Amino acid sequence: MSVFRSGVLVLTSPLSALSMRLAPILACASKIVQETLYVHLQPGLLLTGSSQPSSTYIPATQEICNLISKLYSDADVHSNLDVRVLLTNIKNQSNNQQTLSLVQNLSHPPEVVLTDFQTSDGGQYNPVKQQLERYATNCYSCQPNLISVLLYPEYGLTDEVINHKEPDGGGKVLQSHSDVVVGGTFDRLHNAHKILLSVCCLLSERRLLIGVADKELLDNKVLKELIEPYEKRVEILSLFLVDVKPSLLYHIVPISDPYGPSITDQELKCIVVSEETHKGGLSVNRKRQENGLDDLAIQEIKLVTDPLHSENEEEKISSSSFRKRLLGTLLKLPAENPNIPARPYVIGLTGGSGSGKTSIAKRLEALGAAVIDCDRLGHQSYKPGGAAYQQVINEFGSDILCADGTIDRKTMGSKVFANKDHLKRLTNIVWPAIAALAKEAVAVAASKGISVCVMDAAVLLEAGWTEMVHEVWTAIIPEKEAVLRIMNRDGVSEESAKNRLASQMSNSERVELSNVVLCTLWEPEITQKQVQKAWYLLQQRINRNISGDKPVLKSRF
């Protein structure tokens, strides 16, 4: 069976039976569709006979919400799939019914249409497939030469499971509202986000207001440097929403405080929250009361367990877990550098004070890399006879010398670190000297047949040494943790530690210029796993380069 980038799955099973069938159906679909999979609930759709099958409305009940949640949860084990449940035929209490006869434009037009509808002979029966293709082309904006596939998953279900019914109340239509509000970071849109947004869409009759966290609200997020830019998050969010329910009015705004327009917009009627943000919904209503506005109805969504979470990740599906999984992976393709030899492959490792950069370098050395300590090379260049020794004396005077003729680094520091012009004059001398020594060290490693070198350099980016490396790796740590580490390591005050960090490039600036990011915030074992993953993926890239293949960015997260 061929693999397609996009597809639409039309589910015709009765809703009472579908919940238990979703996992095997999705497992079959994931082998055929590689990226975007639209799912449309069409219980009872008949694909036999001469009449043209058509989409019909189904009510927006709690049973439907549970089914959508189950569908996204089951899809989470298929990390390659971007699943999107279409809500166009799910009717809430609104009298504004959209016309189902119109063709729905999808952002990723399907190349294949799949269905759980099965023929009696268990084969790919042509009349049924033709009906399916006609149905799909009448409902969705499909790619030309649409392919149809009948799925035959192994359910392994008993009659008792097949005849399973929802508990009382599952068939009641949800209370809908004209205007609904929801807030979140919406970083790397995942299946828990999609469940939340789907419920919002089912509850909304006219408008869905979405507050997307930005600026100050991101400060305390785990690995905030890896959060996608606001514009990108909004773009992905918008495409998803217009795909699943194009009839709604979507109003997406940035928020830099926990409330945003939820406490000032008098047209809002309902707020959707998760189990962990329920108190936030109550707080919104208190603020609305202070502003003389009516309370919002609060709709709570249950958290969704992440079947793939590891020991240092949250049990629920969360963006922070996905950001942790990015550590050690290739975030940005390396630019080709024809000015340096292909071997040894040189990694430029950088990071701010207290980031754990040196510990990462030692771990890479244990895995087989040759580490070039640029700080040590800097000390070497200062020694009598070193490349920078006489130039520094000529520039700053002989009063920086100790009795034995060596440069007093403490005296030197007092001259330059309080004066940006003096510091620039010093780095103009020392940085080229260090670069020359680093090139010599790489050449020595090459003569020994070493395949990977790591340039451990705090000022790699500032000094412009990226021209000497194939990739840039950055170690990051939250500022609060970095301050504590600097204080404990160097015995300096909190103010001194903060000033030191303020004089350096920020984590965000480093990440923007990096190919791989690592973080030493957690236990040493976690750091070791990151480094091992980074090393393993590096070896894959190197081997692909040898074979002539270019590295690729595979993960959605």
Side-chain angles (χ1 to χ4, degrees):
M1 175 61 66
S2 300
V3 176
F4 303 89
R5 294 185 62 183
S6 60
V8 58
L9 170 60
V10 180
L11 295 174
T12 65
S13 296
L15 297 180
S16 59
L18 189 54
S19 178
M20 302 301 293
R21 295 180 174 182
L22 285 175
I25 290 173
L26 289 169
C28 285
S30 69
K31 298 175 183 177
I32 300 171
V33 177
Q34 193 174 46
E35 296 178 13
T36 307
L37 178 66
Y38 296 102
V39 180
H40 212 173
L41 300 175
Q42 292 290 350
L45 184 73
L46 190 63
L47 295 175
T48 56
S50 57
S51 60
Q52 175 67 44
S54 60
S55 182
T56 57
Y57 278 116
I58 54 178
T61 63
Q62 187 59 51
E63 177 187 22
I64 290 294
C65 287
N66 294 341
L67 193 61
I68 290 172
S69 179
K70 178 74 162 53
L71 197 155
Y72 279 120
S73 298
D74 287 349
D76 213 53
V77 298
H78 307 292
S79 57
N80 62 300
L81 285 182
D82 174 10
V83 172
R84 305 183 178 201
V85 181
L86 302 179
L87 308 174
T88 48
N89 66 319
I90 302 178
K91 177 185 174 184
N92 59 27
Q93 294 175 323
S94 171
N95 292 323
N96 300 320
Q97 298 181 7
Q98 63 267 32
T99 303
L100 288 176
S101 59
L102 296 177
V103 175
Q104 183 176 357
N105 290 317
L106 300 173
S107 59
H108 303 277
E111 301 170 1
V112 61
V113 56
L114 316 171
T115 186
D116 61 342
F117 186 91
Q118 299 181 359
T119 60
S120 57
D121 63 357
Q124 299 293 322
Y125 187 53
N126 280 337
V128 171
K129 294 180 64 174
Q130 290 169 2
Q131 284 279 54
L132 179 63
E133 291 166 15
R134 282 197 292 268
Y135 166 80
T137 53
N138 284 335
C139 290
Y140 325 107
S141 56
C142 301
Q143 292 281 9
N145 303 315
L146 182 71
I147 303 297
S148 58
V149 178
L150 308 184
L151 301 179
Y152 289 92
E154 293 293 332
Y155 293 129
L157 301 176
T158 64
D159 290 339
E160 181 181 1
V161 172
I162 292 177
N163 295 323
H164 167 75
K165 299 293 184 182
E166 288 293 322
D168 291 343
K172 292 182 180 178
V173 178
L174 296 173
Q175 174 66 51
S176 58
H177 307 270
S178 60
D179 295 70
V180 176
V181 64
V182 68
T185 308
F186 299 107
D187 179 41
R188 292 179 168 80
L189 196 70
H190 52 65
N191 287 332
H193 289 144
K194 293 174 183 179
I195 292 171
L196 176 69
L197 293 167
S198 295
V199 173
C200 290
C201 289
L202 293 180
L203 293 174
S204 304
E205 298 171 356
R206 186 183 74 91
R207 177 181 63 134
L208 177 57
L209 172 60
I210 305 165
V212 178
D214 196 25
K215 298 179 180 177
E216 292 87 350
L217 273 187
L218 304 181
D219 285 346
N220 294 322
K221 297 289 184 182
V222 175
L223 298 171
K224 66 177 182 179
E225 298 84 3
L226 296 181
I227 294 176
E228 294 172 317
Y230 171 81
E231 292 75 15
K232 184 174 182 180
R233 285 181 281 141
V234 169
E235 178 186 7
I236 293 171
L237 183 61
S238 300
L239 288 174
F240 172 81
L241 291 169
V242 173
D243 264 353
V244 300
K245 195 170 181 179
S247 61
L248 281 180
L249 172 64
Y250 297 109
H251 187 193
I252 302 176
V253 298
I255 54 174
S256 55
D257 64 72
Y259 303 107
S262 67
I263 60 173
T264 57
D265 191 325
Q266 60 183 357
E267 294 184 334
L268 294 174
K269 305 300 180 185
C270 174
I271 184 170
V272 182
V273 299
S274 67
E275 289 177 276
E276 64 182 4
T277 60
H278 185 90
K279 290 183 179 179
L282 297 175
S283 182
V284 164
N285 277 340
R286 285 194 294 271
K287 290 286 187 180
R288 287 180 68 87
Q289 290 170 10
E290 293 173 7
N291 292 335
L293 300 176
D294 293 336
D295 283 2
L296 301 178
I298 298 177
Q299 180 73 35
E300 181 181 298
I301 306 298
K302 292 183 178 179
L303 298 175
V304 183
T305 301
D306 184 350
L308 302 176
H309 78 276
S310 60
E311 69 273 15
N312 75 318
E313 297 175 350
E314 296 180 89
E315 289 189 10
K316 66 171 184 175
I317 297 176
S318 73
S319 298
S320 62
S321 293
F322 291 133
R323 291 195 292 274
K324 288 178 183 178
R325 293 170 197 172
L326 290 173
L327 297 172
T329 67
L330 190 66
L331 301 180
K332 182 192 302 182
L333 292 174
E336 293 185 8
N337 192 342
N339 299 320
I340 59 176
R343 292 293 175 275
Y345 200 84
V346 183
I347 300 298
L349 176 63
T350 189
S353 295
S355 64
K357 171 180 62 66
T358 301
S359 69
I360 290 173
K362 291 178 179 177
R363 294 175 188 276
L364 290 168
E365 187 173 34
L367 291 171
V371 174
I372 301 169
D373 185 342
C374 290
D375 187 52
R376 184 182 61 79
L377 295 182
H379 286 282
Q380 183 178 326
S381 71
Y382 275 116
K383 290 180 179 179
Y389 178 77
Q390 193 58 53
Q391 292 184 69
V392 171
I393 296 172
N394 293 342
E395 185 69 34
F396 294 98
S398 59
D399 60 323
I400 63 173
L401 295 176
C402 298
D404 61 359
T406 60
I407 293 176
D408 186 334
R409 292 175 63 84
K410 188 173 182 180
T411 301
M412 187 74 250
S414 66
K415 281 199 171 192
V416 301
F417 290 121
N419 187 308
K420 289 185 178 180
D421 180 61
H422 287 180
L423 181 60
K424 182 69 166 59
R425 285 157 55 192
L426 177 65
T427 57
N428 284 345
I429 297 170
V430 177
W431 284 353
I434 295 175
L437 292 173
K439 289 178 181 178
E440 291 176 9
V442 171
V444 170
S447 67
K448 296 179 179 178
I450 293 173
S451 60
V452 177
C453 287
V454 173
M455 273 185 62
D456 178 359
V459 295
L460 179 87
L461 301 173
E462 297 90 330
W465 294 339
T466 52
E467 296 181 357
M468 300 165 56
V469 304
H470 296 93
E471 293 182 17
V472 175
W473 292 16
T474 290
I476 62 173
I477 200 78
E479 182 179 337
K480 289 182 180 179
E481 178 65 20
V483 167
L484 291 174
R485 290 184 181 184
I486 295 169
M487 292 169 62
N488 293 332
R489 182 190 65 193
D490 300 339
V492 298
S493 67
E494 180 178 358
E495 182 181 4
S496 177
K498 287 183 176 179
N499 289 338
R500 187 180 304 180
L501 290 174
S503 68
Q504 301 174 359
M505 289 183 74
S506 68
N507 283 339
S508 296
E509 289 172 322
R510 293 181 195 275
V511 168
E512 182 67 26
L513 299 171
S514 300
N515 304 105
V516 174
V517 174
L518 301 158
C519 180
T520 64
L521 178 61
W522 303 280
E523 295 82 359
E525 295 78 14
I526 302 299
T527 301
Q528 182 64 23
K529 288 181 179 179
Q530 285 180 39
V531 174
Q532 287 175 332
K533 176 169 70 172
W535 181 259
Y536 171 74
L537 294 175
L538 172 65
Q539 300 307 310
Q540 286 189 328
R541 293 198 290 280
I542 292 174
N543 291 334
R544 277 196 293 266
N545 288 343
I546 292 174
S547 63
D549 297 330
K550 291 186 177 180
V552 293
L553 299 174
K554 295 178 64 176
S555 175
R556 286 196 296 119
F557 303 111

